[in-house]
Amino acid sequence: MVTQVRKTKSVERILTAAAELFYANGLRGVGIDQVIEASGVAKSTLYVHFRTKEELVAAYLRRTDDSWTAQLQSAAAAAGDDPRDRLVGLFDALTAAFERHGFFGCPFVSAAVEAGPDSEARAITLEHTRRRQAWLTELSAAAGAGNPAALARHIGLLIDGALASGRLLQDRTVVEEAKSAARLLVADHT
């Protein structure tokens, strides 16, 4: 049992360090030695858990997918019971992300840009987007949208645009503007 606890703590330290580094510097901008130094584990420990950088990147993206999806859904739920309010309220997750550490953009868009077209990182990124859009489509249908898929695509574009503009401009007002645009879209579609 002690070995399992130590293994879990090592993996956690590696993934936490990798997440901070990859998010701030991109996938290509971070080497394994930087992750080892930031996590405080031995090189052999890292390679026991992640045989390649690609495996580490994949684990980071899967973990980020789970975390980011939970943050979006939590912000939506906090907006109330009305699905229309939830579609707008989910933008509070973007504001919270900015307040935590500034905007370094969307880790999935960054990964898609940096990863090869046939890479696991790109596949995870596409799956994240499909999952997000399926959830937004369900929420749009519950809100009474005439075309739930269209409203979901528009909201998805606002999320991606706010993250991209936020990174470029380092200005949280882009999220406020995206949220305002979402409110108008929801009203128009429902």
Side-chain angles (χ1 to χ4, degrees), residues 54-55 57-59 61-62 115-126:
E54 289 74 27
E55 282 185 16
V57 166
L61 288 171
R62 283 189 188 98
D118 297 327
S119 68
E120 186 174 10
R122 183 165 172 79
I124 293 167
T125 296
L126 291 172

Side-chain angles (χ1 to χ4, degrees), residues 87 133 136-138 140-141 145-158 185-186 188-189:
L87 283 165
Q133 289 308 114
L136 290 173
T137 301
E138 289 173 16
S140 296
N147 185 342
L151 178 55
R153 281 192 306 275
H154 293 156
I155 297 292
L157 287 170
L158 286 174
L185 275 170
V186 169
D188 187 52
H189 281 263

Side-chain angles (χ1 to χ4, degrees), residues 5-27:
V5 170
R6 195 175 346 194
K7 179 180 177 182
T8 302
K9 286 185 178 180
S10 294
V11 169
E12 179 64 28
R13 287 171 45 199
I14 293 165
L15 285 173
T16 298
E20 291 172 8
L21 291 167
F22 288 147
Y23 185 62
N25 303 298
L27 304 179

Side-chain angles (χ1 to χ4, degrees), residues 14-93:
I14 293 165
L15 285 173
T16 298
E20 291 172 8
L21 291 167
F22 288 147
Y23 185 62
N25 303 298
L27 304 179
R28 291 183 187 159
V30 176
I32 289 293
D33 289 337
Q34 290 172 283
V35 176
I36 291 167
E37 183 179 334
S39 66
V41 302
K43 185 178 274 195
S44 60
T45 301
L46 183 134
Y47 283 114
V48 162
H49 301 296
F50 306 101
R51 293 177 307 190
T52 64
K53 182 178 176 182
E54 289 74 27
E55 282 185 16
L56 178 60
V57 166
Y60 152 70
L61 288 171
R62 283 189 188 98
R63 183 178 182 189
T64 302
D65 177 32
D66 292 341
S67 172
W68 183 235
T69 299
Q71 290 172 54
L72 287 171
Q73 291 175 347
S74 178
D81 293 331
D82 187 329
R84 294 171 296 187
D85 293 336
R86 289 180 173 213
L87 283 165
V88 176
L90 66 85
F91 284 88
D92 292 340

